[in-house]
Amino acid sequence: MTSEPHRRTIGSLRAVALDAPDIDRLATFYEQLAGWQRVPSDDDDWITLDTGDGWRMGLQRAIDHVPPHWPDQDRPQQAHLDFRVPDIDAAAERAQQLGATLLRRSERWHTLADPAGHPFDLCLAPDDPRTTLMAVMLDCPDAKALSHFYAELLGKPVTYEADGVAMIGEDGAQPVMFQQVAHYTAPRWPDPAYPQQIHLDVTVQDVDAAERAALDIGAIPLDGAGENWRVYADPVGKPFCLVWTV
């Protein structure tokens, strides 16, 4: 266990984005599973979902999407979502009725894949009747090292470290978690043969200053940019975007 100050704040977590070939279907799945609400938009290739408890989820259309094959590192998940539910058996049954696929059962959590193939965990929280998003968990070769990178990128302190696992941010305040995996296979964005599967959008005020700071802590610039976004990779190859208001 740890809690330590971060040295800088480069940006703040805006959204967690999942790639999918059919974003309308995936949005409907999470609306019905967790009660998330769509944010009105005219963008046919992006859907934003408001979780109602502080998270923003983005669904990005990827026609050439190659789903993960959990737990195979030849086609890795790259990341997954952890949900809290009052009854994991009932929640898993409901998720399967909505189009999810059961991957594994255990005493405290069940692992499923959503309709686009992204794994997620249903974790037991019997004292809360709601379905809530606990955290996003990033796979990596070194949980401690990557947690410190994101602590500075997102301005969240490292609040937990154990063997192969770390967390930044506080429980209930959009924490990001990190799990160490053997034989980690990095994405090679934008190569669909090594897909990103998921990425984080990070809001910044001054993108040039934020870029310099991100590169200074180990980010890698990638060949992707738009009117209000630029693409980078973290030190283990996972893409993320710096975004700003125009």
Side-chain angles (χ1 to χ4, degrees):
M1 181 73 68
T2 184
S3 182
E4 60 186 37
H6 48 274
R7 290 178 292 169
R8 72 184 91 186
T9 298
I10 296 172
S12 60
L13 180 60
R14 175 175 175 79
V16 179
L18 299 173
D19 286 358
D22 187 341
I23 58 176
D24 182 70
R25 182 188 181 200
L26 194 58
T28 299
F29 172 79
Y30 283 111
E31 286 174 318
Q32 295 177 345
L33 178 70
W36 296 352
Q37 298 291 321
R38 299 192 197 204
V39 177
S41 172
D42 296 327
D43 191 340
D44 293 335
D45 293 323
W46 181 276
I47 294 175
T48 298
L49 296 168
D50 187 332
T51 70
D53 58 357
W55 292 90
R56 287 171 65 92
M57 303 300 300
L59 307 181
Q60 177 172 265
R61 190 182 309 280
I63 301 302
D64 55 3
H65 173 67
V66 178
H69 186 233
W70 184 92
D72 186 356
Q73 274 300 306
D74 287 335
R75 287 170 52 187
Q77 63 178 359
Q78 298 298 346
H80 71 271
L81 304 179
D82 283 336
F83 290 90
R84 286 192 175 112
V85 297
D87 184 325
I88 56 176
D89 292 326
E93 181 178 355
R94 171 64 172 159
Q96 290 175 88
Q97 292 172 349
L98 295 173
T101 302
L102 183 65
L103 300 176
R104 179 185 62 185
R105 289 182 180 272
S106 66
E107 183 177 348
R108 297 289 298 178
W109 68 84
H110 296 337
T111 303
L112 298 94
D114 68 23
H118 299 292
F120 63 92
D121 283 346
L122 299 175
C123 305
L124 184 61
D127 296 330
D128 190 338
R130 303 171 300 164
T131 296
T132 58
L133 182 58
M134 176 172 61
V136 57
M137 177 87 78
L138 305 184
D139 289 359
C140 57
D142 186 330
K144 179 178 180 180
L146 196 60
S147 71
H148 284 264
F149 170 84
Y150 278 100
E152 297 199 46
L153 181 68
L154 300 177
K156 292 177 179 286
V158 177
T159 51
Y160 181 81
E161 285 182 356
D163 186 22
V165 181
M167 183 174 87
I168 63 171
E170 302 292 342
D171 187 21
Q174 297 79 56
V176 180
M177 300 184 69
F178 307 86
Q179 67 176 1
Q180 203 159 296
V181 298
H183 312 297
Y184 171 76
T185 301
R188 301 179 188 176
W189 187 90
D191 185 351
Y194 298 89
Q196 63 176 356
Q197 303 293 351
I198 188 170
H199 75 271
L200 305 185
D201 281 345
V202 180
T203 297
V204 298
Q205 299 301 315
D206 181 334
V207 66
D208 293 323
E211 177 179 278
R212 289 191 296 270
L215 297 180
D216 185 53
I217 62 171
I220 303 163
L222 297 179
D223 187 17
E227 182 183 11
N228 68 331
W229 52 274
R230 295 180 189 171
V231 185
Y232 307 82
D234 68 21
V236 301
K238 294 187 189 299
F240 67 91
C241 290
L242 298 182
V243 300
W244 61 95
T245 302
V246 293

